[in-house]
């Protein structure tokens, strides 16, 4: 997490150009949730030309804060024009769903002629890297203790 920011592209941007072996992914960090009609802070792509979303491509949202049952909206891209849609939407690397705003990992992506917004609800915060490393180290220590106990039997 390097902080929220705006990446400005002077011209057209295309997601979905095949050939790399992996689907192009637009990774966006989401800031603290806010109540409607306000729009929350997030990473943002600002293209002066056309933002083209073609097959295959993905949007992965990393929520820096938990978002409860009250939905929060973020603008993740602005452009002179927006065409297409993201093929896959993820939250913290897991599949998102747009069918039930009361269920976990709800994300509704709304496209207009000049922007893309996401409305999220019931999303957990992504753990900070230091916390993940601490949990992994604790897990390794526990695994070592279990192995030593089994070896002593």
């Amino acid at each position: 997490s390097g902080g929220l920011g705006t990446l400005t592209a002077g011209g057209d941007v295309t997601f979905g150009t095949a050939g790399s072996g992996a689907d192009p992914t637009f990774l966006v960090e989401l800031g603290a949730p806010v109540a409607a009609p306000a729009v929350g802070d997030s990473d943002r792509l600002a293209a002066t030309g056309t933002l083209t979303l073609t097959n295959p491509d993905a949007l992965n949202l990393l929520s820096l804060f938990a978002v409860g049952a009250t939905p929060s909206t973020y603008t993740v891209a602005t452009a002179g024009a927006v065409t297409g849609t993201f093929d896959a939407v993820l939250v913290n690397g897991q599949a998102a769903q747009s069918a039930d705003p009361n269920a976990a990992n709800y994300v509704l992506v709304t496209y207009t002629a000049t922007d893309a917004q996401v409305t999220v609800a019931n999303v957990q915060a992504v753990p900070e890297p230091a916390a993940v490393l601490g949990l992994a180290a604790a897990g390794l220590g526990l695994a070592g203790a279990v192995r030593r106990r089994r070896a002593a039997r």
Side-chain angles (χ1 to χ4, degrees), residues 26-130:
F26 180 32
L27 182 68
V28 176
E29 291 180 329
L30 303 178
V34 296
V39 176
D41 288 331
S42 68
D43 287 338
R44 181 178 302 181
L45 171 64
T48 60
T50 299
L51 172 60
T52 303
L53 306 170
T54 62
N55 296 332
D57 58 13
L59 173 63
N60 188 7
L61 304 171
L62 296 182
S63 187
L64 302 179
F65 297 85
V67 180
T70 302
S72 191
T73 299
Y74 304 87
T75 300
V76 297
T78 59
V82 176
T83 63
T85 62
F86 287 105
D87 297 304
V89 179
L90 307 169
V91 175
N92 301 332
Q94 300 177 2
Q97 57 86 21
S98 61
D100 183 0
N102 297 310
N105 289 345
Y106 173 77
V107 178
L108 177 65
V109 184
T110 305
Y111 304 92
T112 71
T114 59
D115 70 22
Q117 289 189 329
V118 295
T119 300
V120 301
N122 300 306
V123 171
Q124 297 298 313
V126 67
E128 286 294 322

